[in-house]
Amino acid sequence: MNHEVALIPGDGIGPEIVCAMRRVIEAAGVDITWRELQAGASVVDRYGTPLPDHVLDVIREVGVAIKGPITTPIGSGFRSVNVSLRRAFDLYACVRPCASMPGDGSRYRDVDVVIIRENTEDLYAGIEFEADDPAAQDVRETVKRDTGRVIPQDACISLKPISRTGSERIVRYAFEYARRCGRSKVTAVHKANIMKATDGLFMRVAREVAAEYPEIAFEDRIVDATCMGLVMHPEDFDVLVLPNLYGDIVSDLCAGLVGGLGMAPGANIGSSCAIFEATHGSAPDIAGKGIANPTAEILSGCMLLDHLGESDAAARIRSAVRATLADGACVTADVRRALTGSTSGAATTDEFTDAVISRL
Ligand code: NAI
């Protein structure tokens, strides 16, 4: 069966790893018509925006996309294209599995956790005011009037909206995921001891939803203690569900447990659209050198194939990646360094990709 998939190569290492992912999927014999689209800094001069309307139109039409990372200017400049895509298609669930593979270079063995991150709310909602914005002054006055607390005149302000609706749908997604994938426990992560309103709501809703899934164990934990627990005893965790910002941070931490960012795939899921992408960013420090690890993007491609009903091909690709890493003779510099302390003898992105394809 032919599938249509929107493809955004992105920037930095994006085009290199997206090319690897596409070669592997094609070598596995899956029939995909790729609708290639450009977004990010390179299109701003031409379209006046990093995310032109025609890109959104094609994704809306096709309903499924896979992308490479896109650079976001820090501190100023355009807002994140990644965040804009999640918002445009209401991709409320970010799913990031982190599972050990033999030869992944990690100090940990047998890690198998899945991060389910709320993708639309929280400090990531992007409701922010510069210190001299008149709206910031309105907020200061409202806060002073209603709480007696003074926000300094030179403070910028970010708002953290967390809704009952948003919390309920992400926690329910986590439990449904656990049920569908045969997982046995869900941990809701928060900081409700300090943020009693926002994180308190998230925690209370998680407890309510958990009661509907008696066959799945449930606990809630504070985010800082969760980080320590993940580093000391990752085997205590199974599925984690988190508000947006904690999910962002904890998913990088979990990537570190399974060999680093080059290993961690991801999916952004909404009710009518899904966009797949590696957890990592555009890695400007290694872009253009042909040395990026394409594993995270290839495994994101496997999640795409599962979504398209091509689970046999996905399983064959996962097994080829696993065998290539386990063999250890042809691995990229990040893995090589983790295994041996040196990048000497590391494979390029293309060599690793060829090794995976040869095992399909
Ligand atoms: P990053 O994830 O790009 O890089 C962090 C470190 O991990 C770097 O040392 C990099 O070389 C390494 N790394 C990442 N992916 C790798 C791979 N596949 N193989 C080998 N090494 C890899 O994070 P950073 O530097 O904070 O962000 C760079 C840019 O990417 C920023 O503009 C950021 O906003 C953007 N970004 C985009 C995302 C997306 O498109 N979904 C997600 C995260 C960041």
Side-chain angles (χ1 to χ4, degrees), residues 166-218:
S167 302
E168 189 173 331
R169 76 174 172 172
I170 194 66
V171 175
R172 201 171 290 288
Y173 184 93
F175 275 97
E176 288 295 328
Y177 179 96
R179 185 177 267 176
R180 192 169 65 246
C181 300
R183 298 269 172 173
S184 55
K185 184 166 107 174
V186 172
T187 302
V189 181
H190 56 80
K191 187 82 185 172
N193 53 332
I194 303 298
M195 279 160 278
K196 295 177 192 301
T198 48
D199 286 26
L201 175 64
F202 184 84
M203 182 193 71
R204 286 193 302 280
V205 168
R207 289 177 178 172
E208 286 166 23
V209 173
E212 297 172 32
Y213 297 83
E215 79 281 15
I216 297 168
F218 172 75

Side-chain angles (χ1 to χ4, degrees), residues 28 30 301-306 310-319:
V30 185
C302 293
M303 295 176 79
L304 162 78
L305 294 181
D306 285 334
E310 298 279 0
S311 293
D312 286 352
R316 280 194 295 123
I317 295 172
R318 285 191 182 101
S319 146

Side-chain angles (χ1 to χ4, degrees), residues 13 67 69-72 82 261-262 277 279-286 292-293 334:
I13 60 170
K67 62 180 281 294
I70 295 177
T71 304
T72 307
N82 313 300
L261 283 167
E277 61 178 343
T279 296
H280 61 72
S282 54
D285 52 338
I286 57 166
N293 185 350
D334 53 335

Side-chain angles (χ1 to χ4, degrees), residues 3 35 44 47 56 59 62-63 73 89 96 104 106 123 137 190 192 238 265 278 282 296-297 303-304 312 322 350:
H3 308 277
R35 303 272 301 264
V44 172
Y47 297 105
L56 295 172
I59 298 175
V62 174
F89 296 106
R96 292 178 164 174
D104 63 14
S106 164
L123 287 162
Q137 189 52 30
H190 56 80
D238 189 344
S282 54
E297 191 71 19
M303 295 176 79
L304 162 78
D312 286 352
R322 190 177 275 272
D350 285 347

Side-chain angles (χ1 to χ4, degrees), residues 91-172:
L91 305 173
Y92 65 92
C94 180
V95 181
R96 292 178 164 174
C98 291
S100 299
M101 285 190 275
D104 63 14
S106 164
R107 297 156 200 226
Y108 296 84
R109 292 271 63 85
D110 302 327
V111 175
D112 185 10
V113 298
V114 181
I115 304 290
I116 309 271
R117 163 186 173 189
E118 203 290 323
N119 236 354
T120 64
E121 306 196 315
D122 198 355
L123 287 162
Y124 257 80
I127 309 169
E128 297 194 297
F129 308 108
E130 298 291 342
D132 57 2
D133 187 326
Q137 189 52 30
D138 288 348
V139 175
R140 277 187 210 99
E141 282 164 16
T142 303
V143 168
K144 176 129 193 289
R145 187 189 65 231
D146 292 350
T147 71
R149 306 281 296 277
V150 174
I151 299 176
Q153 205 60 33
D154 57 356
C156 301
I157 300 171
S158 297
L159 298 187
K160 171 172 165 144
I162 291 203
S163 68
R164 168 169 279 279
T165 309
S167 302
E168 189 173 331
R169 76 174 172 172
I170 194 66
V171 175
R172 201 171 290 288

